[in-house]
């Protein structure tokens, strides 16, 4: 009994520290159903394992009851970038399971596939990762807590020029977030006095990077900018880069952080050392909240799973959901929920974040360098571009 009360007191203390007010469970209150869409099978299963550890971390720290409603997570397997599967699962989650919220945990095409059914049924969708700016214009029920590739690419090009990289070749995956990353980087680079010396767009599925890296080599750049989604791409690109001799020739990689995703770091190995990347979350981010997040995450995750941007953003999505459910005292109204999400601010394991009037994320963007910290590969933050919107423009905070 004492132990139970003690654990409860610690949990309530953590909730209070976050500004969330814990409320005892009312036995007749219906459960709060949240459908979490991400990969749970095949090569994508590691994303599901990570999301589960993030959920376990958040509920350990903040409890699994909010405004008297017991939180129930329904895991939905996207099977990878697979909009047809996701569209069907989203419809089922709405009509059969009567979910209160859905979480878009992985790819842009999947978040888009959830847009129609969720807007029609007035079920809010919180995006933890899908990184294409235009999703929100097409999906009025969706609110982003992850990042956009333009948000990181625009300040990155400025940083690159300021650090002497002017002739840059761009490689970006041929779908939403890649196309936006390429266009945003190119524009920002030109505005900063740099020049894109060439660009290629490998396909989303099963890319072989050797021909693309050869094209980069032929253009004699100082550096290569690359966006490729986490998963199978980083491995394939880094192999082609290592085989090409570009590293020895001093051609630097300027990647988005997907390429040095902590989830895959140990498999990618030391060939990532000294690479520069830009991103919104690093396991190595130095804050008390992140240290707690990382510590708790490791207590739940399988041995091969490390916390990365995907896990941190699922954790933040739950934080946002708890905030609105509490503000509405457990009785949810769609318009009110969307209104409450707009303008919401809180501290994330990545640093301060805010959701703007366009339902999009405002946050710090970090330039990182891959280093070994206590024998472990880490993305070490070396520069911070404070509070930028989804297009990479600075936002004045008050
Ligand atoms: C996306 O599909 O928007 C996406 C997927 C994986 C990433 C980044 C963006 O690492």
């Amino acid at each position: 009994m004492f132990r139970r009360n003690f654990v409860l007191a610690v949990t309530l203390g953590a909730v209070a520290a976050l500004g969330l007010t814990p409320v005892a469970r009312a036995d007749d209150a219906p459960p709060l159903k949240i459908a979490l869409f991400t990969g749970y099978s095949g090569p994508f299963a590691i994303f599901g394992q990570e999301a589960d550890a993030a959920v376990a971390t958040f509920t350990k720290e903040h409890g699994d009851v909010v405004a008297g409603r017991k939180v129930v997570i329904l895991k939905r397997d996207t099977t990878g970038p697979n909009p047809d599967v996701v569209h069907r699962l989203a419809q089922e989650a709405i009509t059969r399971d009567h979910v209160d919220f859905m979480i878009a945990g992985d790819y842009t095409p999947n978040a888009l596939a959830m847009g129609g059914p969720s807007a029609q049924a007035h079920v809010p969708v919180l995006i933890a990762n899908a990184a294409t700016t235009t999703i929100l214009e097409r999906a009025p029920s969706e609110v982003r807590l992850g990042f956009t590739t333009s948000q990181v690419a625009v300040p990155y090009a400025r940083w690159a020029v300021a650090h002497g990289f002017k002739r840059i070749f761009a490689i970006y995956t041929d779908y939403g977030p890649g196309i936006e990353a390429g266009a945003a980087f190119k524009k920002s680079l030109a505005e900063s006095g740099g020049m894109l010396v060439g660009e290629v767009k490998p396909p989303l599925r099963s890319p072989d990077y050797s021909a693309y890296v050869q094209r980069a080599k032929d253009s004699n750049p100082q550096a290569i900018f690359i966006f490729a989604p986490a998963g199978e791409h980083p491995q394939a690109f880094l192999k082609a880069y290592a085989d090409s001799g570009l590293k020895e020739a001093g051609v630097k990689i300027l990647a988005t952080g997907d390429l040095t995703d902590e989830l895959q770091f140990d498999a990618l190995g030391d060939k990532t050392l000294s690479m520069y990347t830009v991103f919104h979350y690093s396991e190595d981010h130095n804050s008390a909240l992140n240290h707690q997040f990382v510590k708790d995450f490791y207590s739940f995750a399988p041995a091969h799973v490390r916390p990365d941007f995907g896990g941190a953003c699922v954790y933040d999505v739950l934080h946002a959901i708890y905030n609105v459910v509490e503000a509405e005292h457990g009785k949810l109204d769609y318009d009110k929920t969307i209104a409450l999400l707009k303008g919401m601010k809180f501290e994330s394991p990545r640093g301060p974040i805010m959701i703007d009037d366009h339902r999009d994320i405002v946050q710090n963007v970090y330039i990182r360098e891959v280093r070994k910290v206590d024998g472990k590969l880490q993305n070490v933050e070396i520069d911070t571009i404070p509070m930028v919107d989804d297009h990479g423009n600075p936002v004045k905070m008050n």
Side-chain angles (χ1 to χ4, degrees), residues 300-314:
F300 293 109
H304 62 286
V305 174
R306 290 177 56 175
D308 74 349
F309 62 109
C313 294
V314 165

Side-chain angles (χ1 to χ4, degrees), residues 53-266:
V55 169
T57 299
F58 189 85
T59 50
K60 176 206 171 221
E61 294 176 1
H62 306 292
D64 63 356
V65 177
V66 57
R69 296 182 65 178
K70 169 100 168 95
V71 175
V72 176
I73 305 286
L74 310 178
K75 299 182 202 180
R76 293 295 176 261
D77 181 9
T78 60
T79 69
N82 214 334
D84 294 340
V85 168
V86 170
H87 187 263
R88 177 176 54 75
L89 290 176
Q91 270 174 331
E92 254 174 44
I94 292 165
T95 55
R96 190 194 64 194
D97 303 317
H98 305 291
V99 294
D100 297 286
F101 291 94
M102 297 197 283
I103 301 175
D106 58 8
Y107 294 89
T108 288
N110 295 343
L112 283 170
M114 296 163 81
S118 63
Q120 210 178 12
H122 280 188
V123 175
V125 176
L126 281 81
I127 302 175
N129 182 60
T132 310
T133 61
T134 51
I135 295 171
L136 298 189
E137 290 154 28
R138 294 162 63 181
S141 55
E142 303 200 4
V143 177
R144 179 166 12 236
L145 279 98
F147 78 115
T148 74
T149 54
S150 302
Q151 184 171 46
V152 297
V154 165
Y156 204 21
R158 281 187 212 122
W159 183 90
V161 173
H163 289 78
F165 301 106
K166 294 203 169 144
R167 292 173 42 80
I168 300 179
F169 189 92
I171 302 180
Y172 49 89
T173 314
D174 192 11
Y175 80 122
I179 293 163
E180 286 193 359
F185 189 85
K186 185 177 184 171
K187 183 162 179 282
S188 177
L189 186 67
E191 286 168 359
S192 310
M195 193 179 118
L196 207 66
V197 296
E199 57 195 300
V200 286
K201 295 183 261 186
L204 177 58
R205 283 181 195 278
S206 312
D208 172 357
Y209 274 92
S210 43
Y212 299 109
V213 170
Q214 185 59 45
R215 289 272 299 278
K217 202 171 175 180
D218 294 344
S219 325
N220 192 27
Q222 285 176 292
I224 296 173
F225 167 74
I226 173 164
F227 164 81
E232 59 178 347
H233 285 253
Q235 197 71 268
F237 169 75
L238 286 169
K239 185 179 177 318
Y241 176 63
D243 293 347
S244 69
L246 279 169
K247 186 168 187 177
E248 293 70 19
V251 178
K252 205 70 179 170
I253 299 301
L254 305 174
T256 62
D258 317 79
L259 212 77
T260 58
D261 178 8
E262 286 88 352
L263 255 186
Q264 285 194 294
F265 243 159
D266 303 328

